[in-house]
Amino acid sequence: MNLITRALSAVGLERRSTTNPNDMWGPYQALRNGPVNDQTVQGVSAAYACVQAVSEAVATIPLAVYRRNGPDREAVEDHPLHHAMNMQANPEQSALEAKEFVQASVMLRGNGYARLEFGSNGQLKHWWPWDVDRVRPMRLANGGIAYDYTDRDGSVKRYGHDEVLHIRHRLGPDGVLGISPVEACRASMQLAITEQEHGEDTYRNGAKLLGVLQVPGKLAPNQKQDIKEGWQTNRSGQTPILEHGAEYKPLSMSLADAQWLEARKFSVEEIARIFRVPPSVVGHLVDSNYSTSSELYRQWVSMGLRRPLVSWEQAITAKCLTALGRKTYTLEMDYENLLRGSSTERAEFYESAIGAGWMDAAEVRRKEYLPKMEVSNGKAKDA
């Protein structure tokens, strides 16, 4: 019994008959209806790393609040939104923790929710992330959307559309719920889960030693049984004691095991593709070097992260600003720091910008988070 067949038997999956009895991929045909959910998927390191990479990036990117001033705009840090979205979401959770939780829910379940709490002045005071399993969105008879939330004591309370921040992975056909990438790509996720279970089962029951036992001459039945029992008893990470002149001769890796390892590598790339994360970002550095990894990272920040960031921008603008506030302020998830180059690259960029006249030294110092600089007696010094 090869590695994959044994692992499938261990998890209760039967092998379907195929036209080629030596086809190692036959067992995977029985995996289409296996358990795939947000919990089992996180057991696959590639999926966990993808969710972690995106949710951490979204959580650490600050939400900049700008006040419109004609054709220009100026950053403001005294707006309540700035504090709630960048510092403290609520008395129990930091803004980073809350954003990270909601974004992870979006990636694993297709939807992320948070209850909005406004002060007497109409400004956002706190926001509380919700467990997806406790929320039931619905379309009302009047065409609006409401959310029923089941509290820990079992009581159900209904919230209006303007009281809930709802972030979706991708809008579904009902116009209310988002589509979960885990559910949409169930087959690929199940394959990765089962491949991992193969490895776990193999090492849990004693790693298979690829080789043969060779003895001089023919063994009696009782001698065969002695060698078999001794080998099986001591194979779990220990050194077996061979009797009756038996000699162990290792063999090369079987084709099935070699394909299993290749399949594991492919699953990492497949999962990264589903979550739109470059494999190098999650530690899969096959066929990668510094140049390609850096370029793929920049592409991911400017393209792969752009959609979830704009999703947050637009949802917060719609739910957390009043009609007048939307005319006065604009919000932006400032991901520029993720694209910061090396000190040499930034110095060359700033030098070119100052030379061309569209930046000055004061703007450069602000971008580099340096204090203002005063000039005294012809010499520059920090203010």
Side-chain angles (χ1 to χ4, degrees):
M1 183 180 294
N2 65 29
L3 178 63
I4 292 179
T5 304
R6 186 172 69 249
L8 290 173
S9 299
V11 295
L13 297 174
E14 297 180 356
R15 178 184 180 118
R16 292 184 178 181
S17 61
T18 61
T19 55
N20 180 6
N22 296 319
D23 180 14
M24 70 165 288
W25 301 110
Y28 289 126
Q29 301 302 317
L31 302 178
R32 296 184 182 276
N33 297 317
V36 178
N37 53 52
D38 58 313
Q39 297 299 320
T40 57
V41 163
Q42 289 188 84
V44 179
S45 61
Y48 186 90
C50 286
V51 173
Q52 187 178 28
V54 176
S55 58
E56 285 183 356
V58 171
T60 54
I61 292 175
L63 177 73
V65 182
Y66 295 99
R67 182 185 292 111
R68 292 189 177 94
N69 184 15
D72 301 321
R73 64 179 187 176
E74 59 179 344
V76 293
E77 297 185 358
D78 56 354
H79 195 283
L81 264 181
H82 185 273
H83 178 80
M85 291 295 168
N86 297 318
M87 304 296 180
Q88 198 74 25
N90 57 68
E92 299 177 359
Q93 298 164 329
S94 67
L96 182 147
E97 292 170 334
K99 285 191 288 186
E100 187 176 40
F101 179 87
V102 173
Q103 182 59 38
S105 298
V106 173
M107 298 183 67
L108 291 168
R109 304 292 293 275
N111 300 273
Y113 306 97
R115 176 174 65 85
L116 302 175
E117 180 184 341
F118 296 93
S120 57
N121 59 355
Q123 301 294 335
L124 182 67
K125 185 178 180 182
H126 302 303
W127 58 289
W128 303 80
W130 274 349
D131 181 354
V132 178
D133 290 325
R134 295 179 178 272
V135 188
R136 181 172 170 260
M138 65 190 69
R139 177 75 68 180
L140 302 177
N142 62 7
I145 299 176
Y147 300 85
D148 281 356
Y149 178 74
T150 304
D151 211 337
R152 298 184 184 277
D153 59 5
S155 60
V156 179
K157 184 176 181 180
R158 178 163 295 182
Y159 293 86
H161 181 256
D162 57 349
E163 297 177 280
V164 178
L165 184 69
H166 185 180
I167 309 291
R168 303 172 179 88
H169 173 71
R170 182 163 62 87
L171 188 63
D174 62 356
V176 178
L177 287 171
I179 296 176
S180 165
V182 173
E183 289 295 327
C185 301
R186 171 182 287 270
S188 297
M189 296 293 185
Q190 178 65 81
L191 182 60
I193 292 171
T194 306
E195 288 167 356
Q196 178 161 294
E197 289 175 345
H198 295 166
E200 292 176 357
D201 180 69
T202 299
Y203 286 101
R204 187 184 303 116
N205 296 300
K208 180 172 66 176
L209 300 178
L210 299 176
V212 297
L213 296 178
Q214 186 176 18
V215 296
K218 187 175 181 180
L219 294 175
N222 63 321
Q223 292 176 319
K224 291 181 181 179
Q225 187 64 28
D226 288 344
I227 293 178
K228 180 179 179 181
E229 291 177 355
W231 182 265
Q232 292 180 341
T233 301
N234 296 284
R235 70 181 182 134
S236 300
Q238 301 180 20
T239 302
I241 299 175
L242 303 180
E243 300 179 284
H244 306 292
E247 180 182 358
Y248 175 74
K249 292 192 173 183
L251 301 175
S252 60
M253 179 178 288
S254 70
L255 177 62
D257 290 347
Q259 288 179 308
W260 177 73
L261 292 176
E262 287 301 317
R264 290 277 286 163
K265 294 178 182 178
F266 177 76
S267 286
V268 174
E269 298 171 4
E270 186 79 351
I271 290 175
R273 185 181 300 115
I274 292 170
F275 287 113
R276 298 194 65 195
V277 176
S280 57
V281 171
V282 296
H284 187 69
L285 302 176
V286 178
D287 299 327
S288 296
N289 54 46
Y290 176 79
S291 179
T292 57
S293 297
S294 297
E295 187 57 35
L296 285 173
Y297 175 79
R298 291 175 181 273
Q299 186 181 51
W300 172 60
V301 171
S302 59
M303 297 177 63
L305 284 180
R306 187 61 185 153
R307 200 276 179 190
L309 294 177
V310 171
S311 209
W312 277 84
E313 289 175 3
Q314 295 182 354
I316 296 172
T317 299
K319 298 292 184 70
C320 302
L321 288 177
T322 63
L324 179 60
R326 288 192 288 273
K327 294 180 180 179
T328 307
Y329 298 97
T330 180
L331 308 179
E332 183 177 307
M333 297 289 280
D334 188 6
Y335 63 90
E336 184 177 349
N337 281 346
L338 295 181
L339 296 173
R340 288 166 63 91
S342 64
S343 57
T344 301
E345 292 171 332
R346 297 201 308 277
E348 292 176 352
F349 169 76
Y350 292 140
E351 183 178 6
S352 175
I354 294 174
W358 56 272
M359 282 188 74
D360 58 31
E363 292 175 301
V364 170
R365 293 183 69 84
R366 281 199 301 270
K367 282 186 171 293
E368 290 294 311
Y369 302 100
L370 296 173
K372 291 183 179 180
M373 188 171 61
E374 294 181 351
V375 177
S376 177
N377 299 324
K379 293 183 179 180
K381 64 177 182 179
D382 291 341

